[in-house]
Amino acid sequence: CNIPCIVEGANLFITQDAKLRLEKAGCILYKDASANKGGVTSSSLEVLASLSFDDEGFLKNMCIGADGSTPHFYQEYVKEVQSIIQRNARLEFEAIWRENEKTGIARSMLSDQLSWAITKLDEELQNFAELWNNKALRLGVFKE
């Protein structure tokens, strides 16, 4: 294969048939779903932050001041979000790479399987009110 590696951009997908052909020819290919989770993560954490403050606290901690200054909390929050994104991206890359090496299943298919598993887990968690009512668990998840 003349193309050693492809990482799809967000919503700039290659057909599944083309992905499988490229991978069979030796191309290392990572799908947009695996390569671009940073946007989903950052927007989710932004929503969580907005829900955590009252209006005054949000303006004070998350918005650029009238003088153009960036709040210290916001600067630290952005660093933490970037760290979470980097860690999650590394873990997903390593999981897909490891499973491909172990099973020979195409990385694009492993990415699909992982996305389906995450979606299924999300749906199951949303329908399990007992988890939300477990305060110690809830605080532990938010702390993470």
Side-chain angles (χ1 to χ4, degrees):
C1 183
N2 292 330
I3 303 170
C5 187
I6 296 175
V7 179
E8 286 184 309
N11 302 318
L12 299 173
F13 60 89
I14 301 168
T15 66
Q16 186 67 11
D17 182 55
K19 288 176 192 160
L20 294 173
R21 288 173 186 236
L22 285 162
E23 288 192 73
K24 188 174 182 178
C27 178
I28 296 170
L29 193 140
Y30 275 84
K31 292 182 56 157
D32 62 342
S34 290
N36 297 296
K37 287 203 166 98
V40 173
T41 301
S42 61
S43 64
S44 297
L45 292 173
E46 183 179 352
V47 168
L48 179 61
S50 71
L51 295 171
S52 301
F53 289 109
D54 60 17
D55 290 347
E56 182 181 334
F58 185 80
L59 290 171
K60 176 183 173 191
N61 292 291
M62 296 296 289
C63 296
I64 303 293
D67 63 354
S69 63
T70 305
H72 177 72
F73 176 87
Y74 180 79
Q75 293 174 16
E76 294 302 311
Y77 189 71
V78 167
K79 288 178 191 174
E80 188 172 338
V81 169
Q82 289 172 334
S83 175
I84 291 167
I85 291 168
Q86 289 172 351
R87 183 187 73 222
N88 290 347
R90 178 182 49 77
L91 290 171
E92 183 161 334
F93 173 86
E94 290 170 354
I96 291 171
W97 189 274
R98 182 178 58 249
E99 285 302 305
N100 170 262
E101 292 287 310
K102 187 167 96 176
T103 66
I105 297 171
R107 289 177 189 89
S108 58
M109 294 178 71
L110 291 168
S111 178
D112 285 340
Q113 291 174 8
L114 184 58
S115 292
W116 293 327
I118 290 169
T119 299
K120 184 177 182 211
L121 178 61
D122 177 59
E123 290 169 355
E124 290 173 359
L125 289 173
Q126 288 182 43
N127 294 318
F128 196 52
E130 190 177 319
L131 285 176
W132 180 256
N133 295 331
N134 182 333
K135 186 176 181 180
L137 178 62
R138 186 175 70 237
L139 293 175
V141 169
F142 285 142
K143 183 178 181 183
E144 177 63 29

